[in-house]
Amino acid sequence: MEEGRSVRRDEEQQHGMGSGRVAAIFREIETEADAATATAASSSGQRADADAGLQLQGPMWKRFLAHVGPGFLVSMAYLDPSNLQTDLQAGYSHRYELLWVLLFGFIFVLIIQSLAAKLGIITGRHLAELCTSEYPKYVKYCLWFLAELGVIAATIPGVLGTALAYNMLLHIPFWAGVLICGASTVLLLGLQGYGARKMEFTIAVAMLFMASCFFIELSHVNPPIKEQLEGLFIPRLKGRYAVSDAVALFSVLVVPHNLFLHSSLVLSRKIPSCSKGVKDASTFFLVENALALFLALLVNVAVVSLSGTICANNLSLDDNNRCSSLSLNSAAVLFKNVLGKSRSTVYGLALLASGQSCTVVTTYSGQYIMQHWWCFTRSSTYQHSCDHTILCAAICACSSPEIQ
């Protein structure tokens, strides 16, 4: 019996020693794995720091140019055909007295757009994503519905303006211009497959072309600089319907879908995670946005000054009647009678650039809203953008004066 007990004790000791060795081996393996993980983490952190250091190096102007693009894309929404018509009517009714509304309005826009860009830079998330994650379900659905409704409402003036420009330049039917606008919008949206910067470059070129057209028009009428400066910096509300016209000028600058678009576009750049990288990116995007909005302000001022100067001259009875009910269509006839046929063609080209770019930008905004609100893939959101464009084109075609 005693020999049996001793044998069992020896076996238990050997078993305990074996299990102890196994546990020691596992502990060594875990220690080696932890060390390897820490080494990999440190090496990845060093690589990230090295990449951030490389991005923070180089000339300031090169780093700034890497951030140029989103501001020009979102600024095009403030040059859509509805803005142009409001500017034309304000210029006829009050000449240069309401230019200060545009100045203060664009300062307000700069603040709001910069906050949207900074939101994307600091959080690394889009505004649509934040709305989805932070708000209750019923609030989220209401916000999405209002955002989509705003996108559609902002797209329709662009489609109508593009169709009107095709009618002015090529004398094609209105409904055909609407269909051409829808088709060209779908094709231009395909540029996003080559990166966001291709889309930004295309819209920036259209914006510069539009600005050049209106500056050429303005150079032929020579508005008084002194009265323009007074209108810009001295707030006044004189004359009939001055308050309502000032409200109209300010209201066309309220473009909510731009906030979703701007917070998304800034994330297309590689922003270092260090505090200096975030600070530099915020500064670069602020300066770029200010330059783009300043150009948009100059174009709006040029349109107001153009109609204000032309309608203040001694015109024929028909041209005076056109000034009293100035619209995008009658403005082309007015410019043709007063400035010549070539000036009317330049105006039509500017309207074409405005309408087509506005349609692309608003549809692009709708794509980002749908993609990040509902976590759709890029292909499905592109399909949504195409459907959205076709819907707006159908609405505009059905409201065509020729069909009516």
Side-chain angles (χ1 to χ4, degrees):
M1 295 292 290
E2 292 179 357
E3 291 179 357
R5 291 192 188 96
S6 63
V7 169
R8 284 196 297 272
R9 283 198 298 269
D10 293 340
E11 290 178 354
E12 290 174 357
Q13 289 177 359
Q14 290 177 0
H15 180 72
M17 293 174 63
S19 62
R21 291 194 193 97
V22 173
I25 291 172
F26 275 114
R27 282 196 296 270
E28 290 177 0
I29 293 174
E30 290 177 355
T31 303
E32 291 176 358
D34 292 340
T37 304
T39 303
S42 62
S43 62
S44 62
Q46 290 174 358
R47 285 196 299 269
D49 293 340
D51 294 340
L54 289 175
Q55 291 178 3
L56 294 175
Q57 293 176 358
M60 184 74 71
W61 64 272
K62 282 189 176 181
R63 293 163 54 200
F64 171 72
L65 289 179
H67 295 79
V68 171
F72 285 91
L73 186 63
V74 300
S75 296
M76 198 64 207
Y78 305 106
L79 296 174
D80 69 337
S82 61
N83 286 70
L84 300 184
Q85 175 149 339
T86 306
D87 293 341
L88 289 170
Q89 293 174 347
Y92 159 72
S93 301
H94 309 282
R95 298 197 68 186
Y96 321 109
E97 291 184 358
L98 296 182
L99 291 179
W100 64 272
V101 178
L102 291 174
L103 177 61
F104 287 102
F106 272 97
I107 293 174
F108 169 78
V109 167
L110 176 61
I111 295 173
I112 298 298
Q113 291 292 155
S114 300
L115 290 175
K118 188 172 290 187
L119 176 71
I121 295 169
I122 295 176
T123 63
R125 303 173 68 187
H126 313 284
L127 179 58
E129 287 182 275
L130 293 171
C131 290
T132 303
S133 60
E134 296 295 331
Y135 289 115
K137 185 175 292 186
Y138 64 92
V139 177
K140 179 179 69 175
Y141 291 154
C142 291
L143 287 176
W144 169 78
F145 176 76
L146 293 175
E148 288 290 343
L149 194 63
V151 168
I152 294 175
T155 307
I156 291 176
V159 177
L160 293 175
T162 306
L164 185 59
Y166 280 124
N167 183 262
M168 291 178 188
L169 297 171
L170 304 177
H171 306 288
I172 62 177
F174 192 89
W175 61 268
V178 170
L179 298 180
I180 293 174
C181 175
S184 58
T185 301
V186 173
L187 292 176
L188 288 173
L189 285 173
L191 289 175
Q192 61 187 306
Y194 301 96
R197 302 208 68 174
K198 303 297 186 299
M199 180 75 72
E200 294 166 0
F201 177 77
T202 303
I203 299 301
V205 170
M207 184 177 181
L208 293 174
F209 175 77
M210 178 184 174
S212 301
C213 290
F214 279 114
F215 292 157
I216 291 173
E217 299 274 25
L218 193 64
S219 65
H220 285 77
V221 298
N222 295 322
I225 302 298
K226 182 180 178 181
E227 294 185 20
Q228 285 182 302
L229 293 177
E230 289 179 355
L232 270 173
F233 298 105
I234 301 178
R236 288 176 295 186
L237 288 174
K238 297 181 181 179
R240 193 178 182 185
Y241 303 120
V243 176
S244 59
D245 289 340
V247 171
L249 274 177
F250 190 83
S251 62
V252 292
L253 300 179
V254 179
V255 189
H257 62 79
N258 258 7
L259 304 180
F260 296 96
L261 181 60
H262 207 171
S263 64
S264 302
L265 290 175
V266 295
L267 297 181
S268 61
R269 271 55 172 180
K270 293 182 179 179
I271 301 174
S273 58
C274 60
S275 60
K276 179 174 173 52
V278 172
K279 183 178 180 181
D280 288 350
S282 300
T283 303
F284 291 147
F285 281 124
L286 174 62
V287 174
E288 183 256 353
N289 192 22
L291 292 175
L293 288 175
F294 180 69
L295 180 59
L297 171 63
L298 292 180
V299 175
N300 279 274
V301 170
V303 176
V304 173
S305 302
L306 188 63
S307 63
T309 305
I310 291 177
C311 293
N313 296 330
N314 293 323
L315 303 175
S316 64
L317 181 61
D318 290 339
D319 290 335
N320 277 324
N321 293 332
R322 290 190 182 92
C323 283
S324 62
S325 58
L326 200 57
S327 64
L328 294 175
N329 195 16
S330 60
V333 180
L334 179 65
F335 294 160
K336 180 180 179 180
N337 294 338
V338 178
L339 303 177
K341 185 177 180 180
S342 60
R343 302 281 77 81
S344 177
T345 302
V346 171
Y347 167 75
L349 292 173
L351 182 60
L352 177 61
S354 170
Q356 186 65 75
S357 301
C358 169
T359 306
V360 173
V361 170
T362 52
T363 309
Y364 201 32
S365 302
Q367 175 178 327
Y368 270 114
I369 291 172
M370 182 64 71
Q371 179 179 348
H372 300 295
W373 214 296
W374 300 106
C375 301
F376 285 170
T377 60
R378 182 176 292 273
S379 59
S380 61
T381 51
Y382 179 70
Q383 178 65 39
H384 163 74
S385 299
C386 297
D387 296 340
H388 164 78
T389 304
I390 294 171
L391 172 63
C392 293
I395 293 174
C396 296
C398 292
S399 62
S400 169
E402 296 180 9
I403 296 179
Q404 295 293 338

